[in-house]
Amino acid sequence: MHRVRLSRLLLAGVLMISGCGEFESADQPEPPGTAGSWRTAGCEFSRAPEFVERGGFRMPITPAPLSAAMERIEQAGRLRFRDSFAGLEVDQRRVRAIVYRVPTVSTEFDDFIRETAGAACIVVRDAAHGVAELDVWHDRVVTDLAYWTVRGVRIVTVGSRHDGAGLEIGTRDLDKAREEMPARYGTDAPLIFVEQGPATPLTDAWVVMPEQDD
């Protein structure tokens, strides 16, 4: 099973604003020689995934050492390395974490990841945008929500992508948003548009998703 953590969700009318979340990626095979990707020393050792039985379901869990390393990296990323850090995810099947960061900003963050990983496996991949930049765009779009409502663009969700690809805008008016929002913010604005239905109340929780074969 995959667990997707839904965090920083704010419901206001039909608006749900979400920040960068932590969730599983999957079970996609690791591309050989992926550009901009490197691994910590702990990835040289294979580990069997761990499971727990809950309510009749066998669910994978993140081992304590990997979970602790992830927490330290995320905390430092959001407090000390905001220009570089974009987000992270956990691959429980391979017992590893994947950290996304802007490669040209800080070699100090890379050094921190190596020191913090310990024996855990951390895969580091390039990102286009860090959380500091995406937070600025997030706040700008949220400030303009009333403006977009008047313009007939119903925005349901606003959230930074954990891989640093951009700021994801969930809207019920996809074509209109694609046309009008870049005209206001510039064609270089890191906006990603997805079609999103009306929001429903949701609290910070783990959502269990069925596991898929490779």
Side-chain angles (χ1 to χ4, degrees):
M1 310 285 267
H2 295 315
R3 294 184 304 166
V4 179
R5 189 179 184 184
L6 303 175
S7 59
R8 288 183 59 194
L9 297 177
L10 173 63
L11 182 65
V14 296
L15 173 68
M16 188 163 51
I17 303 168
S18 63
C20 174
E22 168 193 322
F23 61 91
E24 285 192 39
S25 94
D27 301 322
Q28 297 295 327
E30 184 72 25
T34 302
S37 177
W38 58 270
R39 306 175 182 214
T40 61
C43 296
E44 298 298 323
F45 307 96
S46 61
R47 298 171 179 80
E50 299 181 12
F51 296 88
V52 65
E53 295 284 343
R54 291 179 181 171
F57 292 96
R58 187 169 181 257
M59 302 174 59
I61 60 173
T62 306
L66 178 59
S67 179
M70 290 172 61
E71 289 180 7
R72 290 194 297 269
I73 290 170
E74 179 161 22
Q75 183 178 32
R78 294 189 179 279
L79 295 178
R80 295 170 51 194
F81 305 105
R82 292 176 49 79
D83 289 332
S84 181
F85 177 72
L88 55 73
E89 60 189 21
V90 57
D91 181 349
Q92 289 172 327
R93 173 177 288 188
R94 292 184 175 87
V95 196
R96 67 182 187 177
I98 301 171
V99 176
Y100 295 88
R101 59 87 175 95
V102 181
T104 57
V105 174
S106 172
T107 58
E108 184 182 355
F109 185 42
D110 284 4
D111 293 339
F112 176 85
I113 293 172
R114 291 186 180 94
E115 295 170 1
T116 302
C121 176
I122 307 292
V123 177
V124 179
R125 293 181 181 165
D126 289 354
H129 310 279
V131 293
E133 178 187 359
L134 293 181
D135 280 354
V136 171
W137 284 107
H138 175 279
D139 293 346
R140 184 174 177 184
V141 171
V142 170
T143 299
D144 287 347
L145 286 175
Y147 170 86
W148 290 117
T149 299
V150 172
R151 297 284 297 180
V153 179
R154 294 167 293 180
I155 296 175
V156 181
T157 61
V158 180
S160 302
R161 284 274 296 268
H162 77 287
D163 59 0
L167 184 71
E168 189 170 288
I169 309 294
T171 176
R172 300 171 65 184
D173 305 286
L174 188 59
D175 292 339
K176 195 173 181 66
R178 283 174 172 165
E179 177 182 355
E180 296 199 12
M181 295 187 76
R184 180 173 177 84
Y185 300 122
T187 55
D188 292 335
L191 305 180
I192 301 171
F193 301 101
V194 297
E195 189 168 8
Q196 179 77 50
T200 54
L202 189 62
T203 58
D204 188 19
W206 286 97
V207 176
V208 178
M209 302 178 65
E211 184 171 300
Q212 298 179 349
D213 295 331
D214 290 343

